[in-house]
Amino acid sequence: MLSHIKKRHFNLFVTLLVLQVCSMPTSILMSQIGWNEAIDIPYLGSRATSITVFNDTLLMYGRGRKMGEEPVDGVFFAQVDSSGQLLRHRFLTDSMGDVLRNSETWGKVIFDSISNCYVATGATVFRPSSFLFKLNDTLGLEHVREYADTV
């Protein structure tokens, strides 16, 4: 009989707790109202796999598809300011027609504060090569280095 009473009190407690939470104003339940906004990066299937911060800008590095007469897969860089506005973006493709990719595990971007540039790594899908990209702080491409897999 005692366990039946405990179970009934527990059920009543849970019911009252749910009613109390549901009757709270939304400003209490949502910690950052209006903060979850999408940034329109103009590449199909854009997926940021690495993010770095420098001063008041955020640089996202990921993969996507540039639409056109012939859709092309590649990697993108998108620079966003502290208020979430897209400042600039750049899309890179492989000059030999392969697919450039990056991943959460092997495609990263960092900001090199000594030379004031972004450095990122990537790879091709069908050709066994990895890449090192160097972009200036306005996403101008300064250097691309390919490292062929010889193993």
Side-chain angles (χ1 to χ4, degrees), residues 16 123 143 149:
L16 288 174
H143 182 77
D149 185 5

Side-chain angles (χ1 to χ4, degrees), residues 29-100:
L29 295 175
M30 294 185 207
S31 60
Q32 298 174 352
I33 295 176
W35 194 78
N36 297 325
E37 296 180 14
I39 297 171
D40 186 20
I41 299 171
Y43 309 116
L44 185 65
S46 297
R47 180 176 177 196
T49 57
S50 182
I51 297 174
T52 190
V53 177
F54 180 71
N55 288 338
D56 62 344
T57 60
L58 177 82
L59 183 80
M60 295 181 286
Y61 173 52
R63 59 182 180 245
R65 176 174 284 181
K66 190 172 186 177
M67 299 308 289
E69 290 181 21
E70 277 191 44
V72 180
D73 289 329
V75 294
F76 73 87
F77 298 85
Q79 202 172 38
V80 179
D81 67 11
S82 59
S83 63
Q85 299 299 314
L86 182 63
L87 299 174
R88 57 190 66 88
H89 55 87
R90 173 173 285 280
F91 192 82
L92 299 178
T93 58
D94 180 44
S95 62
M96 296 178 70
D98 202 343
V99 176
L100 278 178

Side-chain angles (χ1 to χ4, degrees), residues 104-123:
E104 291 87 357
T105 55
W106 48 262
K108 302 294 181 191
V109 63
I110 61 167
F111 187 80
D112 178 9
S113 57
I114 294 170
S115 45
N116 203 34
C117 67
Y118 295 103
V119 179
T121 58

Side-chain angles (χ1 to χ4, degrees), residues 94-100 123-131 146:
D94 180 44
S95 62
M96 296 178 70
D98 202 343
V99 176
L100 278 178
T124 50
V125 173
F126 302 107
R127 190 172 75 250
S129 291
S130 58
F131 288 85
E146 180 176 358

